[in-house]
Amino acid sequence: MEFENLKLKCECGGKMEKIRTEWKGMEVRGWKCSKCSEEIINPADAQKALEMERARKKNLLTVKLRKVGKSNVVTVPQPIIEAENLKEGQKLEWKIEAGKLFLTQ
Ligand SMILES: [Zn+2]
């Protein structure tokens, strides 16, 4: 089921608008009622945010930049592989935005 495309109606009768918000230190998709401001977080994103929080607490998301031959190497932690369903051979792209590094699919 693709929650992203759901049109939701709030219990108060107000219309829910799609939003991006921060939850547990992660940007998540969700909906916000234009009338009462009630927020709902996309369940798939909420699940990932919880898994990432758990992994971060166990220090599983911290990796070291290493040198292998002439290449600079970082490993992708298993919780990230599972949350994003990454496969061997898949191409990823680095981005730098506002001083932060992003690895995107
Ligand atoms: Zn409402």
Side-chain angles (χ1 to χ4, degrees):
M1 182 167 197
E2 191 49 74
F3 292 103
E4 173 74 349
N5 297 319
L6 275 182
K7 290 243 184 297
L8 294 184
K9 214 167 183 187
C10 183
E11 282 181 9
C12 78
K15 208 177 140 208
M16 302 294 272
E17 306 280 358
K18 273 187 200 173
I19 54 159
R20 281 176 178 268
T21 185
E22 196 169 302
W23 190 65
K24 295 198 176 288
M26 234 176 91
E27 191 183 90
V28 291
R29 295 165 296 182
W31 298 266
K32 185 176 186 172
C33 176
S34 51
K35 214 164 145 189
C36 73
S37 296
E38 171 83 4
E39 286 186 10
I40 298 173
I41 296 169
N42 180 305
D45 286 6
Q47 178 69 25
K48 281 184 195 175
L50 283 172
E51 282 167 14
M52 287 308 106
E53 186 190 43
R54 209 174 302 140
R56 199 181 311 110
K57 280 183 179 162
K58 289 185 192 164
N59 214 22
L60 297 176
L61 301 184
T62 304
V63 295
K64 200 179 212 171
L65 178 62
R66 293 177 296 128
K67 198 120 188 156
V68 177
K70 284 184 178 173
S71 298
N72 296 294
V73 175
V74 286
T75 53
V76 180
Q78 193 60 27
I80 303 272
I81 299 282
E82 285 167 17
E84 291 301 305
N85 197 25
L86 299 176
K87 301 265 185 278
E88 191 184 343
Q90 192 173 342
K91 287 198 172 167
L92 303 168
E93 186 183 357
W94 285 104
K95 276 187 193 167
I96 301 175
E97 279 174 26
K100 286 188 174 181
L101 293 172
F102 294 90
L103 191 57
T104 62
Q105 296 191 56

